[in-house]
Amino acid sequence: MIDTSILLTRGATYKKLAPDEILFKEGARCDFYYQIVRGQIRWVNFNKEGDEYLQTLVEKGESIGELPLFDAGVYAATAIANKSSIILRLPKEAFHKLLVDEPRIHFSFSNLLTQRLRFKFFLLKEIANNNPEQIISSLLTYLHEKKDHVCAVCNQVRLTRKQIAEMAGLRVETVIRVMRILNEKGVIQIRNRKAYFGSSAGCNSKGCPAM
């Protein structure tokens, strides 16, 4: 999102995270801007039973937890490392100074937050229909069109069934059943337990992990 050299020049430091290590918790105060250098972070909420509700997965080069940087509120969700990860963290005050000095970067964040807000409106609208097949079909199609969590090379869906279930507010069993139906209808293709759009036989990209 922001060039690494710019962040380091402004005083950013590296932080390592082990798998399942928490970066920040929902309700905590925000003191840093975070950007992923390596690895993957999941942004989740928890229900009363302690089950996760996946908001989004954050990949290399992307930022996470930006909202409190703009409204001085607390974190709206918890960030947890999915795998060994390295992040850059820039103190909040330095981040604000960067936005003042670099209007182009400020505009890019406005664009990012708008895209995420549009996705939430889209997802809430689909969930309100209470039709699992339509919810999952619309979600996967949306991600495919945006090339978000879908490999740009082979069109493999880069979300597990569990992650799709958490994102859509459905049971994993429901997602498995619906994806079989979508496979039969030709919306997606399932091969070796991986879901694809189109007819690609596979992908050699390191950024395209198996489901």
Side-chain angles (χ1 to χ4, degrees), residues 17-20 38-42 59 80-86 209:
L17 295 175
D20 293 320
R38 188 178 70 195
Q40 185 186 69
I41 307 292
R42 66 185 186 272
E59 308 281 354
I80 308 172
N82 263 3
K83 59 181 78 171
S84 296
S85 301
I86 297 176

Side-chain angles (χ1 to χ4, degrees), residues 16-52:
K16 294 182 179 180
L17 295 175
D20 293 320
E21 184 175 350
I22 294 175
L23 177 60
F24 56 76
K25 291 185 177 181
E26 178 181 355
R29 188 183 69 179
C30 172
D31 295 316
F32 296 96
Y33 164 78
Y34 294 108
Q35 185 167 299
I36 315 303
V37 176
R38 188 178 70 195
Q40 185 186 69
I41 307 292
R42 66 185 186 272
W43 204 20
V44 301
N45 293 110
F46 294 90
N47 62 21
K48 293 180 180 180
E49 288 72 38
D51 298 322
E52 290 186 10

